[in-house]
Amino acid sequence: MRFARKVPLARRMALRDRGRFLITAGGVGFAVMLMMFLLGVLEGVRKGATQYIADCQAVIWACEINSSNLLRSSSFLEPEDGRELAAFPGVREATGIVRVFTKAEIHGRQKTLLIFGIDPTSSLAVPSRIIQGTQKLGPGELILDRAFAVKNGLKPGDSLDIQHRKFRIAGVSEGTNAVIIQFLFGRLDDAQELLEIGEVVSFFLLTVKEGFDAAEVLRDLKLKVPALSFFSKEEFIQNNKDELKMGVLPIFWTIAILGSIIGAAVIALMLYGSVLERRLDYALLKSIGTPQRDLVLLVIRQSLLASSAGCVFGILAAGLLAPFLLWLVPELTLAIRPDAAILILAGSLFVGLAGSWAPIQKLSRIYPMEVFRG
Amino acid sequence: MNAESYLAVETRDLSKVYANPSGPEVWAVKDIDLRIFQGEVVMICGPNGSGKTTLLSLLGCLLQPTSGSIQILGQKMATLSEQELSRFRLLNIGFVFQHFRLFECLTAAENVELALNLAGVRRPESQHRAELALAGLGVDHRAHFLPSTLSGGERQRVAIARALVNSPGLLLADEPTGNLDSRAGREAVDLLCGVARREGQTVVIVSHDERIRSAADRILLMEDGKVLETKTKFL
């Protein structure tokens, strides 16, 4: 074990007033916890919104030109498009799904639903992570996302009135929660009936025949079927992530910046008060010849100590409180990654540095002669 | 070697004037010519407001004079930058204060060690030297106690150990007995002067305390910023 080579003055000064230190670290910790949850939610949204696409067996997604994602673009494709795609060289199967936004009254409250109508005879579009009930959809049946089911107190066997039609809940799925909205699945014909636009679908999901390269089939589709847009699974996942980023990231950054300012302000206030309170100690240090650089480092070390302690507290608190948060808000999907903790630690250290600026300015206005004051 | 080479402190026409927004400017120190020799113990006495602490601050390079010059241990202060003055204080001047000015969050030994660390001495050598300094002042048994648990006399000894630990050429003490009872005050000054004499260090003490006058080789009486009278022990 290597011991410190100098008297740990910064640590002792910071910890001398434990109450003040705890309040500061706590303030930073809460800001860090907020960041952790934000990053966790952001990652959860990204995963939740794309997990279904990742789980699907389809390797190519086809949609209307200028449409690029599952959530925030419109796409209407005719049945003939599907037949053309199914006959395209190298394509083994092309199955349509239709996206329907509708409303239902659940326990007396109007809820927005996003229903994907899927072909029950194909396994391509069926959600693969069924945690309750069945994957097989009969007429008038639905599979609900887990968060949607928990939030609304629904389970397999229950029924749901949608546009004056009664639907029975057949199963509950996971990996189908985009946080802002959850995915429900019904039969294609039921969804088309709700949409009231005939046999139109939103997307075609394609697989390729054995012996064919998906990338080559995709390239050929893009060349020979210019009326439609085609994406590989990876591209389609990325499109959806990018779409979410555009919607969520500005909010995230606003909150992150506000959190950082709060953290820096808490540290600055604590240290500023501490410098004022201990101005005779700082005057003494100046009088006995402490180099200015060492004085600045003394303040910065105290600041970094408070910010890093707050950061550790915040990360631990986020880990401990995450299950409670998920219980409280079932539609949330939290995915806290280790690199998020590293990013937040780096951010906290920056906040610590920023928070020490004002106290350092104050320090420069303390005169060594003050040490003679009573 | 001439007498100049034995000079620890020399001031010429040293003055410090403070601006006073509500009246005429205040001459805290006025035209002081002072010569203090190496190894000498000088006490500065005088009523409140006579300029004693200002003079001590000037000698400690904590204040810039308005006019005149100061030379300490052969170094002209006017030629040094702020940074160089700090370094000069660190290595050449030790301070003892009326209110001890120990860090309450550090033990007695760490308070002494801090001065060594600032001068670039690292552990474990700094720990060893701090304990030796405390032993020299008879408080090594209290080395690992916080100042709040020490008596006034013990605190002042720790403060003296801190002032002496870097072996400065000049020791400046501001009312070192001001917060001590007569016995502890006498002991503290005897220790301070005893160690300084052994090491050939120069001591300047500002004090009201009549009881410790006998420790000084020379007594300067100040009033209205001027040295009115000088008394030498043997005269």
Side-chain angles (χ1 to χ4, degrees):
Chain A
M1 188 175 169
R2 188 170 179 271
F3 290 95
R5 298 197 65 217
K6 293 202 286 186
V7 172
L9 182 61
R11 178 157 53 87
R12 297 285 179 79
M13 283 177 93
L15 295 176
R16 176 153 173 75
D17 187 345
R18 287 198 173 82
R20 191 204 299 259
F21 184 81
L22 285 176
I23 289 169
T24 310
V28 174
F30 277 110
V32 163
M33 192 171 68
L34 176 71
M35 304 284 182
M36 286 296 288
F37 282 143
L38 276 172
L39 279 175
V41 168
L42 184 71
E43 186 58 24
V45 171
R46 276 163 52 149
K47 267 194 175 171
T50 56
Q51 191 68 57
Y52 167 65
I53 307 167
D55 288 345
C56 276
Q57 292 165 35
V59 291
I60 296 169
W61 286 68
C63 49
E64 199 179 308
I65 203 89
N66 295 329
S67 178
S68 63
N69 66 81
L70 208 56
L71 292 173
R72 301 210 306 177
S73 63
S74 62
S75 176
F76 298 98
L77 304 174
E78 297 294 334
E80 300 83 65
D81 295 325
R83 285 191 281 276
E84 186 187 351
L85 293 174
F88 195 85
V91 172
R92 190 180 72 186
E93 185 184 349
T95 184
I97 63 171
V98 66
R99 185 184 52 192
V100 184
F101 280 102
T102 184
K103 282 195 177 285
E105 191 176 293
I106 305 172
H107 305 309
R109 296 181 69 178
Q110 287 288 315
K111 298 284 172 86
T112 300
L113 311 179
L114 170 57
I115 301 173
F116 286 103
I118 57 178
D119 182 351
T121 62
S122 166
S123 61
L124 282 193
V126 178
S128 58
R129 301 177 186 210
I130 299 296
I131 55 167
Q132 273 183 287
T134 179
Q135 201 177 33
K136 291 191 186 336
L137 281 168
E141 286 188 333
L142 290 173
I143 293 170
L144 310 184
D145 171 73
R146 182 195 66 83
F148 185 89
V150 170
K151 190 171 60 171
N152 295 292
L154 298 169
K155 59 185 186 304
D158 291 348
S159 61
L160 208 55
D161 285 321
I162 305 169
Q163 293 177 208
H164 312 297
R165 226 189 116 179
K166 197 172 276 295
F167 283 84
R168 181 184 164 275
I169 296 158
V172 176
S173 65
E174 262 190 350
T176 46
N177 175 11
V179 180
I180 46 170
I181 198 155
Q182 291 79 44
F183 302 165
L184 280 64
F185 298 87
R187 287 170 66 107
L188 182 62
D189 48 355
D190 287 338
Q192 285 168 331
E193 194 182 311
L194 291 173
L195 202 57
E196 296 173 343
I197 50 168
E199 293 185 351
V200 164
V201 298
S202 307
F203 307 94
F204 281 108
L205 283 64
L206 278 62
T207 53
V208 296
K209 289 175 182 165
E210 267 185 42
F212 282 83
D213 179 44
E216 280 180 23
V217 174
L218 176 65
R219 192 190 58 214
D220 291 346
L221 282 166
K222 283 179 178 176
L223 278 173
K224 293 173 183 169
V225 191
L228 302 182
S229 287
F230 296 94
F231 301 99
S232 68
K233 177 188 276 195
E234 292 72 28
E235 285 170 339
F236 202 61
I237 288 173
Q238 193 55 49
N239 291 349
N240 281 274
K241 283 184 176 174
D242 292 345
E243 198 61 34
L244 278 166
K245 270 188 193 171
M246 276 190 279
V248 177
L249 275 185
I251 301 166
F252 169 79
W253 282 117
T254 305
I255 298 173
I257 289 166
L258 285 175
S260 304
I261 291 170
I262 290 168
V266 167
I267 289 176
L269 276 174
M270 180 282 280
L271 269 178
Y272 198 85
S274 170
V275 168
L276 280 179
E277 207 171 86
R278 305 223 175 95
R279 63 184 302 145
L280 288 176
D281 285 345
Y282 288 103
L284 168 72
L285 285 169
K286 286 190 169 186
S287 71
I288 63 175
T290 306
Q292 182 65 18
R293 186 184 60 99
D294 287 14
L295 287 168
V296 168
L297 283 176
L298 180 64
V299 175
I300 289 176
R301 280 198 188 106
Q302 291 180 69
S303 181
L304 292 182
L305 197 64
S307 62
S308 50
C311 183
V312 170
F313 164 73
I315 290 170
L316 290 176
L320 289 171
L321 291 178
F324 174 71
L325 189 70
L326 290 175
W327 171 79
L328 204 65
V329 193
E331 59 266 49
L332 270 187
T333 305
L334 274 177
I336 297 177
R337 289 167 34 166
D339 55 352
I342 293 167
L343 179 74
I344 283 175
L345 179 64
S348 302
L349 295 179
F350 173 76
V351 160
L353 283 176
S356 60
W357 182 82
I360 287 170
Q361 299 308 306
K362 188 73 207 167
L363 179 66
S364 67
R365 290 191 292 275
I366 293 176
Y367 301 101
M369 206 194 151
E370 292 181 38
V371 75
F372 291 115
R373 284 187 187 164
Chain B
M1 196 177 279
N2 58 23
E4 300 291 320
S5 61
Y6 291 104
L7 271 179
V9 175
E10 184 178 27
T11 69
R12 285 190 183 165
D13 298 325
L14 186 66
S15 296
K16 180 67 187 177
V17 183
Y18 290 112
N20 179 10
S22 57
E25 54 191 14
V26 178
W27 287 76
V29 167
K30 196 169 185 182
D31 300 329
I32 290 185
D33 291 315
L34 185 63
R35 299 178 111 200
I36 300 172
F37 293 92
Q38 284 183 16
E40 200 179 8
V41 175
V42 173
M43 184 176 290
I44 303 173
C45 301
N48 283 338
S50 60
K52 306 184 298 293
T53 301
T54 302
L55 178 59
L56 198 74
S57 301
L58 289 164
L59 299 183
C61 316
L62 303 177
L63 266 184
Q64 288 291 336
T66 307
S67 62
S69 66
I70 310 173
Q71 189 165 316
I72 293 168
L73 304 170
Q75 176 69 54
K76 287 181 179 163
M77 293 301 109
T79 62
L80 300 180
S81 66
E82 198 64 40
Q83 205 175 336
E84 288 166 334
L85 277 174
S86 280
R87 185 82 189 150
F88 185 82
R89 281 202 299 272
L90 181 62
L91 299 178
N92 298 292
I93 303 176
F95 290 93
V96 178
F97 305 100
Q98 178 182 359
H99 299 283
F100 320 126
R101 296 281 177 250
L102 297 175
F103 283 98
E104 296 295 324
C105 55
L106 301 180
T107 64
E110 287 169 337
N111 267 285
V112 179
E113 209 190 333
L114 180 66
L116 286 162
N117 290 160
L118 291 172
V121 183
R122 295 288 179 261
R123 289 177 169 181
E125 192 193 339
S126 59
Q127 287 170 312
H128 178 63
R129 280 175 60 180
E131 283 177 18
L132 277 181
L134 289 173
L137 289 152
V139 276
D140 49 330
H141 63 295
R142 308 289 271 164
H144 303 295
F145 285 76
L146 291 173
S148 57
T149 64
L150 305 181
S151 69
E154 287 170 332
R155 286 184 185 208
Q156 196 58 297
R157 288 181 195 211
V158 174
I160 293 169
R162 180 180 64 195
L164 290 167
V165 75
N166 280 323
S167 304
L170 176 64
L171 281 163
L172 302 176
D174 180 47
E175 303 281 5
T177 61
N179 272 359
L180 302 176
D181 60 43
S182 58
R183 189 176 151 203
R186 179 76 226 181
E187 281 175 0
V189 170
D190 285 348
L191 276 168
L192 174 67
C193 296
V195 174
R197 284 204 168 95
R198 267 203 311 277
E199 303 293 327
Q201 291 160 309
T202 306
V203 182
V204 178
I205 302 171
V206 161
S207 181
H208 283 105
D209 196 342
E210 302 275 338
R211 296 163 303 185
I212 59 168
R213 288 189 174 195
S214 60
D217 300 320
R218 193 152 49 115
I219 296 166
L220 308 179
L221 182 62
M222 282 189 76
E223 201 171 309
D224 297 331
K226 292 181 178 175
V227 176
L228 291 184
E229 191 183 344
T230 301
K231 288 181 186 169
T232 306
K233 195 174 185 178
F234 303 107
L235 293 179

